[in-house]
């Protein structure tokens, strides 16, 4: 009896240790962009540019031709002519087509100097105005002009079947306006230059995009629409009508954005990407079911090279911040193809960061190696004066997140603004507005917790070998820990002591086993929580959950699986078995010593 109670006491004491499957924290100053060894590059993803660069992992260069090179007279096609566009010498189609490498394409067609000369007299059209580089453009919505552009696309991509060329990764369409970006800014605006009403412009637009999708047929995922959601230049049509980009994507095209460098502005409500503002909370919603996001063949592009270029200037103290946030914004939008220029994108300067970006591009919840949340509160000033959309805290938007959400919730998990205020990042251009980076606990009001929720397709139930990395500001003396769950028991990690160096640290905890099933604390239902156990507020910048080992999709050890089916665990892990065996051994030796 005596021995039995000793054993029972031992069991009671040792259960938390048996399941205390966590080690750490490991502390590192600054950010931590490590990528687990098992991660692979997503097939339909990568860095692209005008020119390839092996050392910068830019493997897809451009195939650029002007319409006039290909179609010198009506219904005549040639492949040996060269052209000059914006002082760039375009080699002949044949010369460029002789490459064995992958490429992306632009057919420059709207410029007076890009289109064949016969078009103007044949269609009785002339310049509608100049773009910001001084190039004049033709009205591609003129039915005669569009009819001839359509024939040219049809000839190259359907008759010659270039649409099926595996080297062709994607093509910017429709190939109109400055840099082939479907943006008339400074030319005028659609209604002034066309005299079109919304209805007649929209009728042309819908048919023209459908024409391209029809020409590409099963390869329409290679089409990349180059206009923006809520285009600035389409006149003061109401926001509900300014959804041309969303419509192009609905027809089957991909999309790209040219200005994620300005990462707060005009990029919160982007229905073409399936990203919208949650008007009840001010966080962003990401729609994984939107065909652009759910079909891994589609192209979701952006370009991040204008930090100290293209007329922008970023002070040296802010370059890392601008590069980091613009690329994090790109990932939050689900980008799989990223346009970079080695020098002006600072690829070698921030090589660890770009390595993480390169592995992250194009991942979906069930293929991602990590889940992360950037905690912040930042203005999207595009909406400041537009009343068609309203939300609490407008124009501030909270967080940038992928597969991991931090949510302010009742019961002590409300956060307040971080202490780091950023503004005027791009020289005098204040398009970025104001942002507060990081979020703080608010212990004065009884809010000592930050609650985190993983996407169930990223992880649900018990998984093995997970790291949680928390980047925090060493702001004022305090302490925090992670509250997590394993084997149905809620546990604490050891505490991280916060000091006063005013620099960022990343603390890493390794979990040999952890259970994510939305049930840490009654009422809050988080997957894990950061708890402030000190007497001053803590400031958290970035939280990342990393799967240290590959997981096989479709299996689960979660107790109850909710409606979202998908990827789950697990790799059998010897460490946890070992730790249990070790405890059994201890127990056995105790029993033996007692007998
Ligand atoms: C956590 O795991 C990483 C990667 O396996 C390892 O380098 C590190 O030493 C581990 N830290 C602790 C405290 O176990
Ligand atoms: C372009 O190159 C591909 C691959 O060699 C070839 O199949 C195709 O016919 C070429 N296109 C033209 C227009 O010559
Ligand atoms: C477009 O032009 C019309 C007519 O000049 C003008 O009223 C409108 O404000 C312009 N829209 C934009 C977005 O510039
Ligand atoms: C997400 O996209 C799907 C597919 O287009 C659509 O049916 C659904 O309504 C969208 N969900 C939200 C919340 O917008
Ligand atoms: C936490 O903050 C919220 C919002 O400011 C407040 O309503 C609540 O009373 C605070 N305290 C607790 C324990 O939730
Ligand atoms: C955060 O800052 C914004 C802008 O100054 C302000 O509107 C908001 O009330 C602040 N939120 C908190 C919780 O302090
Ligand atoms: C999570 O696990 C607990 C047991 O610890 C269980 O009671 C609860 O129903 C589970 N929740 C979900 C959402 O599966
Ligand atoms: C975890 O830490 C919190 C905050 O200090 C404390 O209230 C709780 O009792 C701890 N739980 C365990 C299992 O140690
Ligand atoms: C289990 O986890 C440990 C520590 O992270 C690791 O060294 C070991 O390789 C893992 N075992 C398996 C089978 O994945």
């Amino acid at each position: 009896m005596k021995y039995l109670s000793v054993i029972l006491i031992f069991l009671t004491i040792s259960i938390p240790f048996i399941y205390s499957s966590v080690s750490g924290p490991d502390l590192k100053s600054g950010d931590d962009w490590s990528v687990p060894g098992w991660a692979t590059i997503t097939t339909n993803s990568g860095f692209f540019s005008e020119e390839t660069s092996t050392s910068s992992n830019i493997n897809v260069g451009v195939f650029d031709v002007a319409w006039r090179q290909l179609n010198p007279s009506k219904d005549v096609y040639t492949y040996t002519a060269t052209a000059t566009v914006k002082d760039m010498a375009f080699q002949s189609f044949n010369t460029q087509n002789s490459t064995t490498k992958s490429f992306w394409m632009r057919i420059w067609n709207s410029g007076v100097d890009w289109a064949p000369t016969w078009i103007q007299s044949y269609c009785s059209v002339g310049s509608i105005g100049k773009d910001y580089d001084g190039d004049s453009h033709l009205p591609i919505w003129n039915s005669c002009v569009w009819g001839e552009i359509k024939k040219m696309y049809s000839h190259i991509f359907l008759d010659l079947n270039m649409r099926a060329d595996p080297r062709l990764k994607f093509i910017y369409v429709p190939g109109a306006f400055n840099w082939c970006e479907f943006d008339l800014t400074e030319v005028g605006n659609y209604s002034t230059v066309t005299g079109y009403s919304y209805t007649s412009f929209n009728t042309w637009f819908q048919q023209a995009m459908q024409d391209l999708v029809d020409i590409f047929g099963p390869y329409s995922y290679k089409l990349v629409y180059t206009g923006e959601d809520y285009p600035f230049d389409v006149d003061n049509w109401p926001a509900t009508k300014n959804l041309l980009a969303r419509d192009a994507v609905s027809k089957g095209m991909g999309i790209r954005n040219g200005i994620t460098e300005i990462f707060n502005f005009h990029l919160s409500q982007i229905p073409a990407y399936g990203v919208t503002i949650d008007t009840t909370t001010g966080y962003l919603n990401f729609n994984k079911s939107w065909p652009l996001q759910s079909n891994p063949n589609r192209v979701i592009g952006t370009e991040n090279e204008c930090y100290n270029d293209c007329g922008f200037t970023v002070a040296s103290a802010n370059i890392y911040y601008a590069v980091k946030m613009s690329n994090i914004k790109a990932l939050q939008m689900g980008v799989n193809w990223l346009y970079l220029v080695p020098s002006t994108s600072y690829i070698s300067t921030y090589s660890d960061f770009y390595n993480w970006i390169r592995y992250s591009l194009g991942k979906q919840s069930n293929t991602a190696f990590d889940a992360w949340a950037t905690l912040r509160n930042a203005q999207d000033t595009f909406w400041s004066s537009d009343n068609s959309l309203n939300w609490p805290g407008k124009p501030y938007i909270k967080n940038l997140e992928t597969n991991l959400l931090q949510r302010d919730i009742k019961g002590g998990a409300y956060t307040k603004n971080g202490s780091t205020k950023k503004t005027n990042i791009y020289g005098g251009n204040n398009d970025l507005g104001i942002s507060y980076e990081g979020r703080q606990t608010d212990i004065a009001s009884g809010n000592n917790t930050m609650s985190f929720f993983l996407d169930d397709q990223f992880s649900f139930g018990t998984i093995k070998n997970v790291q949680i990395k928390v980047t925090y500001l060493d702001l004022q003396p305090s302490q925090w820990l992670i509250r997590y769950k394993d084997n149905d028991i809620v546990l604490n990690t050891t505490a991280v002591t916060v000091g006063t160096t005013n620099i960022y640290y990343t603390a890493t905890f390794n979990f040999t086993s952890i259970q994510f099933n939305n049930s840490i604390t009654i009422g809050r239902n988080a997957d894990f929580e950061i708890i402030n156990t000190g007497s001053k507020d803590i400031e958290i910048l970035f939280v990342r959950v990393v799967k240290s080992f590959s997981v096989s999709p479709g299996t689960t050890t979660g107790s109850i699986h909710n409606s979202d089916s998908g990827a789950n665990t697990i790799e059998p892990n010897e460490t946890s078995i070992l730790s249990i065996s070790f405890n059994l051994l201890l127990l056995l030796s105790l029993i033996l010593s007692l007998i």
Side-chain angles (χ1 to χ4, degrees), residues 287 289-291:
N287 188 349
S289 307
W290 179 237

Side-chain angles (χ1 to χ4, degrees), residues 200-350:
S200 52
F201 177 81
N202 192 49
T203 303
W204 169 78
F205 179 84
Q206 301 293 338
Q207 184 58 52
M209 297 310 112
Q210 191 60 49
D211 289 341
L212 293 173
V213 166
D214 292 345
I215 290 166
F216 273 71
Y219 301 96
S220 61
Y221 61 82
K222 294 190 183 188
L223 297 166
V224 174
Y225 176 72
T226 56
E228 294 201 65
D229 281 287
Y230 306 102
F232 301 102
D233 53 340
V234 202
D235 205 340
N236 33 15
W237 294 330
T240 48
K241 289 184 173 173
N242 260 340
L243 294 166
L244 304 176
R246 181 205 61 186
D247 295 347
V249 166
S250 297
K251 292 179 198 305
M253 292 186 176
I255 193 168
R256 116 312 166 213
N257 184 284
I259 190 76
T260 40
E261 289 92 343
I262 310 295
F263 47 85
N264 292 337
F265 181 70
H266 196 226
L267 291 169
S268 306
Q269 180 76 10
I270 42 173
Y273 292 77
V275 173
T276 49
I277 299 164
D278 185 327
T279 52
T280 60
T281 60
Y283 292 97
L284 296 179
N285 287 329
F286 181 85
N287 188 349
K288 292 194 293 184
S289 307
W290 179 237
L292 183 83
Q293 300 291 351
S294 64
N295 178 350
N297 283 334
R298 294 277 191 105
V299 174
I300 310 172
T302 196
E303 308 186 355
N304 276 336
E305 84 287 16
C306 298
Y307 303 101
N308 277 301
D309 204 3
C310 331
F312 291 127
T313 46
V314 176
S316 55
N318 282 321
I319 287 181
Y320 175 59
Y321 170 73
V323 167
K324 176 172 88 166
M325 296 309 291
S326 54
N327 285 295
I328 279 182
K329 178 64 202 175
L331 292 185
Q332 186 272 327
M333 290 159 62
V335 160
N336 53 6
W337 286 95
L338 183 59
Y339 178 98
L340 299 174
V341 173
S343 56
T344 56
S345 298
Y346 299 90
I347 297 181
S348 59
T349 313
Y350 305 119

